[in-house]
């Protein structure tokens, strides 16, 4: 498939147009691994698929015949996963879950290739309350209901967090919806109140999921956000895939993906209509 751009040259009072064809090379599909391991049985999965060309409209090509398990690094217990045709995911057998302060090793075997990754489910911070406020439209802000989270982060290290937002059963996953924060500006962000810069409407049902990430998973997410904001312009760095925190221990060839081991705090808020007095 080819794409083309137009280049306009203006010389004096004359101009010409030259059609330039770019040969977009296709590459062989590579394995893509996405693995999430938490203390919540509803969130644990491993998804294995193959990459696609940018303009490919075909559905995901799932890898269904892999061997997948997670090993507790302290007890050496092995937690097996089984592929679900209905969901297109590998799910833990018997709804096994992770435990706080335990370290785990992800193991994936696809044909002759084997992959591993490590992660620790760290203790979570505290969420005490969620405040809902209606705010008028401003130049920098849309009208709507805004949520502010209150709680406490008592940790002096490993403060890397992500908040996922599900609105009415739909995950908000545009590039501005990846809410990542660390302790760059201190650990009292929840004590002072952390307002989510996402407007909601009356009667929205909002599910918030707060994760405490290992540093390598947090770095992966930051690189992913940077890639999503890369416009390919003159002053943008060359786009590149985020650096995976998964390592290949046997076999050859390229791959992509990440492993997230994390505790998760879940809160659900129903936006109740209130008198819209706005704010100053």
């Amino acid at each position: 498939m080819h794409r083309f751009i137009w280049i306009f040259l203006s010389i004096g009072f004359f101009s010409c147009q030259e059609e330039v064809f770019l040969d977009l090379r296709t590459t062989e599909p590579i394995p893509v691994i996405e693995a999430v391991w938490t203390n919540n049985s509803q969130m644990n999965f491993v998804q294995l698929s193959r990459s696609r060309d940018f303009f490919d409209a075909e559905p995901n090509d799932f890898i269904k015949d892999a061997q997948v398990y997670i090993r507790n690094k302290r007890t050496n217990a092995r937690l097996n996963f089984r592929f679900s045709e209905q969901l297109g995911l590998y799910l833990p057998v018997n709804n096994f879950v992770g435990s706080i302060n335990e370290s785990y090793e992800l193991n994936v075997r696809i044909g002759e290739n084997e992959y591993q990754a490590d992660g620790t489910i760290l203790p979570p911070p505290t969420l005490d309350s969620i405040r809902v406020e209606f705010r008028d439209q401003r130049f920098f802000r849309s009208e709507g209901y805004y949520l502010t989270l209150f709680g406490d982060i008592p940790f002096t290290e490993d403060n890397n967090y992500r908040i996922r937002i599900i609105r009415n059963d739909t995950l908000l996953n545009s590039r501005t919806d990846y809410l990542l924060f660390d302790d760059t500006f201190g650990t009292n962000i929840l004590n002072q109140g952390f307002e989510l810069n996402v407007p909601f409407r009356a009667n929205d049902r909002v599910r918030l999921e707060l994760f405490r990430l290992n540093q390598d998973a947090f770095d992966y997410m930051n690189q992913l956000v940077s890639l999503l904001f890369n416009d390919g312009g003159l002053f943008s760095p060359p786009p590149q895939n985020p650096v995976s925190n998964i390592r290949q221990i046997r076999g050859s060839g390229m791959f992509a993906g990440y492993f997230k081991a994390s505790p998760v705090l879940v809160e659900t808020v129903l936006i109740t209509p209130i008198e819209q007095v706005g704010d100053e």
Side-chain angles (χ1 to χ4, degrees):
M1 179 180 292
H2 294 83
R3 297 176 59 193
F4 63 87
I5 61 175
W6 292 98
I7 298 180
F8 297 93
L9 291 178
S10 178
I11 304 177
F13 296 101
F14 301 95
S15 65
C16 63
Q17 297 177 350
E18 178 182 356
E19 186 176 358
V20 178
F21 290 91
L22 300 179
D23 183 15
L24 299 183
R25 292 174 297 174
T26 59
T27 59
E28 290 297 320
I30 64 173
V32 179
I33 304 170
E34 181 182 1
V36 176
W37 184 242
T38 74
N39 58 333
N40 186 315
S41 62
Q42 297 179 350
M43 296 188 179
N44 298 330
F45 70 88
V46 176
Q47 184 179 80
L48 305 178
S49 59
R50 293 182 177 84
S51 62
R52 298 177 299 169
D53 291 339
F54 183 77
F55 294 106
D56 191 348
E58 294 297 318
N60 287 332
D61 181 14
F62 294 119
I63 300 173
K64 305 178 182 182
D65 56 352
Q67 182 181 24
V68 179
Y69 68 92
I70 282 179
R71 182 178 67 87
N72 185 308
K73 298 182 69 173
R74 180 181 61 86
T75 66
N76 207 36
R78 172 169 165 163
L79 311 175
N80 293 316
F81 282 61
R82 181 184 298 121
F83 184 75
S84 167
E85 287 281 355
Q86 181 180 4
L87 299 177
L89 303 172
Y90 287 84
L91 302 177
V93 176
N94 298 327
N95 286 327
F96 286 128
V97 299
S99 299
I100 303 297
N101 284 324
E102 294 282 5
S103 295
Y104 296 92
E105 177 187 83
L106 170 71
N107 290 266
V108 176
R109 179 171 181 174
I110 304 174
E112 299 301 319
N113 294 335
E114 295 185 30
Y115 310 89
Q116 279 185 352
D118 301 299
T120 300
I121 299 182
L122 301 168
T126 301
L127 277 183
D128 296 327
S129 61
I130 300 175
R131 185 176 66 200
V132 181
E133 291 182 293
F134 179 82
R135 297 189 181 278
D136 290 326
Q137 183 174 1
R138 294 288 187 268
F139 176 74
F140 56 89
R141 184 185 67 209
S142 299
E143 177 184 279
Y145 293 87
Y146 287 79
L147 305 184
T148 302
L149 278 57
F150 293 90
D152 182 57
I153 297 176
F155 315 113
T156 59
E157 58 183 6
D158 297 320
N159 285 308
N160 304 295
Y161 302 94
R162 181 192 178 189
I163 296 176
R164 290 205 326 167
I165 301 176
I166 296 91
R167 177 170 56 199
N168 301 327
D169 299 325
T170 299
L171 173 66
L172 303 187
N173 61 356
S174 70
R175 63 184 186 178
T176 58
D177 295 324
Y178 283 81
L179 303 181
L180 304 170
F181 64 97
D182 55 18
D183 56 6
T184 301
F185 301 103
T187 57
N188 59 353
I189 185 171
L190 291 180
N191 302 91
Q192 297 177 346
F194 179 36
E195 182 177 282
L196 307 182
N197 190 29
V198 179
F200 298 99
R201 296 169 297 194
N203 300 314
D204 276 348
R205 181 177 295 274
V206 183
R207 174 185 168 100
L208 302 176
E209 300 172 353
L210 173 59
F211 301 88
R212 185 183 179 196
L213 305 179
N214 291 212
Q215 185 67 54
D216 55 2
F218 184 76
D219 292 342
Y220 179 94
M221 299 304 299
N222 264 325
Q223 293 173 48
L224 176 61
V225 172
S226 297
L227 178 62
L228 294 175
F229 275 97
N230 190 314
D231 60 4
L234 180 62
F235 300 103
S236 296
Q240 61 181 12
N241 290 328
V243 178
S244 176
N245 63 348
I246 301 173
R247 60 189 179 274
Q248 187 168 19
I249 63 171
R250 187 169 287 106
S252 61
M254 298 178 60
F255 69 97
Y258 78 110
F259 174 49
K260 177 175 72 176
S262 170
V264 58
L265 298 177
V266 179
E267 296 288 343
T268 301
V269 179
L270 178 63
I271 307 298
T272 304
I274 60 176
E275 184 180 354
Q276 300 178 2
V277 295
D279 60 348
E280 299 297 333

